[in-house]
Structure formats: structure tokens, C-alpha cells
């Protein structure tokens, strides 16, 4: 690549972090509404009366929101790469297929979305308003925006080992959020006291 192509590749690689926000923003309302909406429609009570475990219930609620978000991520990535291939210099789009770039979009993105969705489901099991759960779950966006800023200033670079380390941290956070969700989800309170 010539110097202008290198600059374009650098910019497009760094803005891949914004694609991490796609699954979070795209699925947050579904996750927040998954418990609160069923409370309001009175369809959660029959589900809670079945022998399904709390883990199975929460995992299904989160995965039901995560899978469409992953499809949105793949679609967004394809559109992004297509736009770069059309409007950038020839060959710049290849910079989006490095292990680090793919790790950001297809490893960190889904793990961050999973954390946000689990947080939204945890909150939605305790509140009566879907907007409250969405706002709490959207807190995951702040560190991602901060990551974009520090990358653009050059003070931090997402290399493959760093991506692996962050992914391990997100796996731990997701495990902790699932345990927290199981503890917070009070089946009896939802069945007897929710109005």
C-alpha cells in the first residue's frame, strides 16, 4: 500500500471497535423486554411453574437476544468491508481480515454483547420498566468507547495477545454475571408479589 492506503487501513482497522457496539445496541431492547414484557403480559408465570431451572431460563433469554445480534454483526461487517472495498484504495480492505481485526469483531464483540445482555436480563428481573434495564445494560458501551479513544490516540493497541487477554476477562465477567443473575432472579417473588 502507498502512504495514503496505509493511513486508510489504519483508520478502518481502528474503527472496527465501533462494530462491537452493533450487537449491544441491536439486541438490548429485546433482552430488557424478555423478562419485563413477560411480567407485564402475565406469560412469565406459566413458564416459571415448569421444571426448568433458573440457569436454563436465563440462558435462553440471553441467547434469544444474542443470536440475532450476532447475525447483525456479520451483516454489519460485510457492509463495512464492502464499503471499504468500494471507496478506499485498492487492497485496503485486506487489512480488515487480520487476526486482530477479526478477533475484535467476532470474539470481543459477541463477548461484550453477552455481558451487556446478561446485565440487562439481571436488571429486568428486578425492575418494572424495560428502559431501566436497557440503560444499565448500556453501561458496557462506555469501556468500548474508551477503548476506541485510547486506540485513536495511539496510547493502546489491540494486538492478538491483548485481545485474548480481554476475551478471557470477558469470559470471567460473563460467568460472574450468570451467577449473579441466578441469585437475583427470585421465582417466588415474581410468581406471588409482582404487580
Amino acid at each position: 500500500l502507498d502512504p495514503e492506503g496505509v493511513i486508510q487501513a489504519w483508520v478502518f482497522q481502528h474503527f472496527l471497535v465501533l462494530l462491537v457496539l452493533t450487537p449491544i445496541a441491536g439486541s438490548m431492547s429485546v433482552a430488557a423486554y424478555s423478562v419485563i414484557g413477560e411480567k407485564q403480559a402475565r406469560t412469565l408465570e406459566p413458564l416459571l411453574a415448569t421444571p426448568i431451572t433458573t440457569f436454563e431460563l436465563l440462558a435462553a433469554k440471553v441467547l434469544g437476544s444474542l443470536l440475532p445480534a450476532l447475525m447483525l454483526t456479520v451483516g454489519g461487517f460485510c457492509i463495512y468491508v464492502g464499503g471499504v472495498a468500494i471507496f478506499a484504495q485498492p487492497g485496503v480492505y485486506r487489512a480488515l481480515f487480520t487476526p486482530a481485526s477479526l478477533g475484535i469483531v467476532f470474539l470481543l464483540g459477541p463477548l461484550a454483547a453477552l455481558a451487556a445482555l446478561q446485565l440487562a436480563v439481571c436488571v429486568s428481573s428486578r425492575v418494572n420498566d424495560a428502559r431501566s434495564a436497557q440503560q444499565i445494560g448500556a453501561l458496557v458501551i462506555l469501556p468500548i468507547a474508551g477503548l476506541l479513544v485510547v486506540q485513536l490516540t495511539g496510547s493502546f493497541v489491540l494486538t492478538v495477545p491483548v485481545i485474548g487477554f480481554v476475551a478471557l476477562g470477558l469470559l470471567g465477567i460473563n460467568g460472574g454475571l450468570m451467577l449473579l443473575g441466578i441469585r437475583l432472579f427470585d421465582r417466588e417473588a415474581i410468581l406471588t408479589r409482582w404487580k
Side-chain angles (χ1 to χ4, degrees):
L1 296 174
D2 63 9
E4 184 177 339
V6 170
I7 291 170
Q8 288 178 357
W10 182 85
V11 168
F12 290 131
Q13 277 183 319
H14 281 74
F15 276 96
L16 276 176
V17 173
L18 291 177
L19 280 179
V20 173
L21 299 177
T22 304
I24 296 171
S27 60
M28 191 60 62
S29 61
V30 175
Y33 190 77
S34 68
V35 175
I36 294 170
E38 287 197 30
K39 283 180 186 177
Q40 293 171 344
R42 300 279 186 209
T43 57
L44 189 59
E45 291 88 350
L47 182 63
L48 292 177
T50 64
I52 189 171
T53 66
T54 303
F55 171 77
E56 292 169 338
L57 176 67
L58 294 180
K61 298 260 181 225
V62 169
L63 288 177
S65 301
L66 182 64
L67 294 177
L70 295 180
M71 292 180 0
L72 185 63
T73 300
V74 171
F77 182 73
C78 291
I79 292 169
Y80 188 71
V81 170
V84 170
I86 292 170
F87 296 110
Q89 288 193 351
V92 170
Y93 73 93
R94 284 188 227 121
L96 303 176
F97 291 102
T98 64
S101 298
L102 294 174
I104 289 169
V105 176
F106 296 109
L107 183 63
L108 296 185
L111 289 173
L114 185 60
L117 295 175
Q118 287 194 95
L119 194 56
V121 168
C122 287
V123 172
S124 68
S125 66
R126 290 294 186 156
V127 298
N128 298 332
D129 181 26
R131 287 177 293 179
S132 301
Q134 289 172 340
Q135 291 167 354
I136 297 293
L139 288 175
V140 175
I141 291 174
L142 293 176
I144 296 168
L147 181 62
L148 176 65
V149 170
V150 296
Q151 268 203 152
L152 288 176
T153 61
S155 48
F156 186 76
V157 177
L158 278 174
T159 61
V160 172
V162 171
I163 291 170
F165 180 72
V166 172
L168 286 175
L170 283 171
L171 280 173
I173 289 170
N174 282 318
L177 284 171
M178 181 54 82
L179 293 174
L180 177 66
I182 291 170
R183 291 191 67 144
L184 289 176
F185 195 82
D186 188 2
R187 294 169 82 115
E188 280 70 32
I190 291 172
L191 284 171
T192 59
R193 290 192 299 253
W194 193 84
K195 295 178 183 176

